[in-house]
Amino acid sequence: MSRKVLVLNADYSAITVCTVPKAFLLVYLNKAELLKDDDKAQLRTVSVSYPLPSVIKLNNYVKVPYKGVVLNRQNVFKRDGNECVYCGKRKDLTLDHVIPKSRGGKTNWANLVAACRSCNGRKGNNTPEEAGMPLNKKPFKPTFVMFLRNFSGKVGENWAPYLGKSKLA
């Protein structure tokens, strides 16, 4: 039951991810339509088996305000693959401003990266070029759909048609 279900709006645009019980309840109450189910598993009661939802579509359009990815520590780490962008280490991660705040660097997606404590300390108040520490990955602002597709953990192949043509994580 720890699986995730992709929730689409009535116009088939991705709006969120929810748990299997929540998705099943929406389908059972006729608030959503089951589009794709997991063919390897089912929800079972004592007397009945139900398909395990993987992708559902809401029956009524829900007006959703602009969906962006929240800029926070965990999301920057997810975007950077939970590894230091300077050396690739996966332990003791911190946030690093590529252009230091003291030199006019902003706190935004394009200027924040995941860095291990030692690299962050070694870089100090310098730019990566000044410190001789090139970035392995260029920071960028992920889109909401990209974040769902690539950074939501392991997702099923049957999400692909609803999230674009790019390869799933």
Side-chain angles (χ1 to χ4, degrees), residues 144-165:
F144 179 69
V145 170
M146 177 192 305
F147 207 77
L148 279 177
R149 183 180 61 231
N150 299 334
F151 309 121
S152 290
K154 188 171 180 164
V155 296
E157 283 296 320
N158 50 9
W159 286 22
Y162 305 102
L163 294 177
K165 296 177 183 167

Side-chain angles (χ1 to χ4, degrees), residues 5 7-8 20 27 34-35 37 44 53 58 60-61 68 79 86 89-90 95 109 114 117 134 142 154 165-166 168:
V5 178
V7 180
L8 306 175
V20 168
V27 171
L34 178 67
L35 295 180
D37 61 337
R44 299 179 188 273
L58 299 177
N60 296 317
Y61 184 83
R79 180 201 63 192
Y86 300 110
K89 204 186 305 180
R90 294 179 150 305
L95 287 180
W109 282 104
R117 287 194 193 283
K154 188 171 180 164
K165 296 177 183 167
S166 298
L168 295 175

Side-chain angles (χ1 to χ4, degrees), residues 33-140:
E33 173 186 345
L34 178 67
L35 295 180
K36 297 280 182 176
D37 61 337
D38 186 336
D39 53 354
K40 297 178 185 115
Q42 291 187 330
L43 293 173
R44 299 179 188 273
T45 67
V46 174
S47 58
V48 182
S49 292
Y50 297 97
L52 188 81
S54 179
V55 180
I56 64 171
K57 179 186 75 74
L58 299 177
N59 290 333
N60 296 317
Y61 184 83
V62 176
K63 188 171 182 179
V64 181
Y66 168 73
K67 276 273 197 191
V69 180
V70 176
L71 176 63
N72 63 30
R73 178 183 195 86
Q74 290 76 26
N75 288 345
V76 171
F77 289 169
K78 283 180 187 177
R79 180 201 63 192
D80 293 341
N82 287 307
E83 64 182 31
C84 175
V85 296
Y86 300 110
C87 71
K89 204 186 305 180
R90 294 179 150 305
K91 292 188 178 180
D92 278 336
L93 292 180
T94 62
L95 287 180
D96 178 44
H97 286 81
V98 177
I99 299 170
K101 285 176 73 173
S102 63
R103 297 173 69 178
K106 305 286 185 211
T107 301
N108 60 30
W109 282 104
N111 195 45
L112 282 175
V113 293
C116 67
R117 287 194 193 283
S118 60
C119 286
N120 202 346
R122 196 167 83 234
K123 180 179 160 283
N125 197 32
N126 298 310
T127 65
E129 295 79 26
E130 293 169 347
M133 300 171 65
L135 295 166
N136 293 336
K137 300 173 188 170
K138 188 175 189 232
F140 64 94

